[in-house]
Amino acid sequence: MNTVSPSLVLASRSPRRRELLERLGLAHTVDAANIDESPLPGEAPRDHVKRLARAKCETVAARHARDVVIIAADTTVDVDGEIFGTPRDVAHAREMLQRLSGRTHLVHTAVCVARGSGDPVRGRLDAARGGGDQPRCELDTAAVTMVPIDPDLLERYLATGESLDKAGAYAVQGEAAAFVASVNGHITTVVGLPVRLVERLVAPFGLLPTHTHP
């Protein structure tokens, strides 16, 4: 008897996460969670990304039936315990990159996977009570070392607009690659979806990548 693999839904509009799933050969659709991603007072960077990834996963799972698998992720830049999320504007992006210049920082990405709840109301109640299927969640961290960033090069980069929707105000796979001296860890963790975690987390749901991870 043939076994039908469940449908996969990515709880994010990120084109970078979509591309990584595609490179793994995991067909999917998108249903963004659209939650408040503001840090809680005193929240540590690792706790922040784990909380948001779980919240995104549970929010979207409540909108889908049980034959659907939801994958959610959240990424942040950690500078001595301070959360660097997406910048408010170009001035904020400039400030972030000036602080990252010539030093090493951490990038944390949390990934959560769960089945759809099949009932929006019941799904929320189950999550609140600790019942039902709980998301499987893991976190990965990479250390990124940046070269001292030339002020003129920084201004040219800011003018591209690339920094404005990226954690830490840069995209390691984009033009900001010129700022990166080294990455200690997996590059896909920095991009925003650690593929080794994805492979491990989706396997119990019967979703097997058809390509090896990049």
Side-chain angles (χ1 to χ4, degrees):
M1 182 175 66
N2 292 331
T3 301
V4 178
S5 297
S7 300
L8 180 64
V9 170
L10 174 64
S12 170
R13 290 193 184 91
S14 166
R16 297 160 296 283
R17 290 183 179 130
R18 292 208 68 176
E19 179 184 355
L20 287 171
L21 287 180
E22 289 164 1
R23 289 169 67 181
L24 287 171
L26 290 170
H28 62 281
T29 56
V30 169
D31 183 4
N34 298 321
I35 65 169
D36 182 0
E37 300 188 19
S38 303
L40 299 176
E43 189 172 37
R46 286 181 174 86
D47 295 336
H48 177 67
V49 292
K50 288 188 289 186
R51 176 178 63 84
L52 290 185
R54 178 179 288 272
K56 291 175 183 179
C57 191
E58 291 177 342
T59 296
V60 175
R63 303 200 288 248
H64 293 271
R66 289 189 55 80
D67 60 349
V68 174
V69 173
I70 314 301
I71 184 166
D74 193 74
T75 301
T76 198
V77 169
D78 175 352
V79 181
D80 298 331
E82 182 179 350
I83 295 170
F84 275 30
T86 55
R88 296 183 299 272
D89 50 31
V90 171
H92 192 206
R94 181 183 295 109
E95 178 186 342
M96 285 185 176
L97 289 167
Q98 287 171 336
R99 290 187 59 188
L100 296 177
S101 175
R103 59 164 297 167
T104 299
H105 61 272
L106 302 177
V107 179
H108 309 297
T109 296
V111 180
C112 289
V113 177
R115 286 194 181 277
S117 72
D119 183 331
V121 174
R122 181 178 177 183
R124 286 195 295 270
L125 291 174
D126 283 347
R129 294 169 179 167
D133 292 343
Q134 296 298 302
R136 300 169 181 261
C137 302
E138 292 192 35
L139 178 138
D140 196 52
T141 297
V144 179
T145 300
M146 287 197 167
V147 300
I149 302 173
D150 176 82
D152 290 338
L153 184 59
L154 173 57
E155 294 306 317
R156 288 199 295 272
Y157 179 66
L158 292 171
T160 68
E162 184 180 270
S163 65
L164 293 178
D165 65 342
K166 311 294 190 301
Y170 75 94
V172 69
Q173 76 281 12
E175 293 189 36
F179 302 157
V180 177
S182 65
V183 176
N184 184 4
H186 206 276
I187 189 67
T188 58
T189 297
V190 184
V191 174
L193 193 67
V195 292
R196 290 176 294 189
L197 294 194
V198 172
E199 290 172 331
R200 185 158 62 247
L201 288 170
V202 301
F205 296 94
L207 291 165
L208 301 176
T210 58
H211 305 307
T212 57
H213 64 70

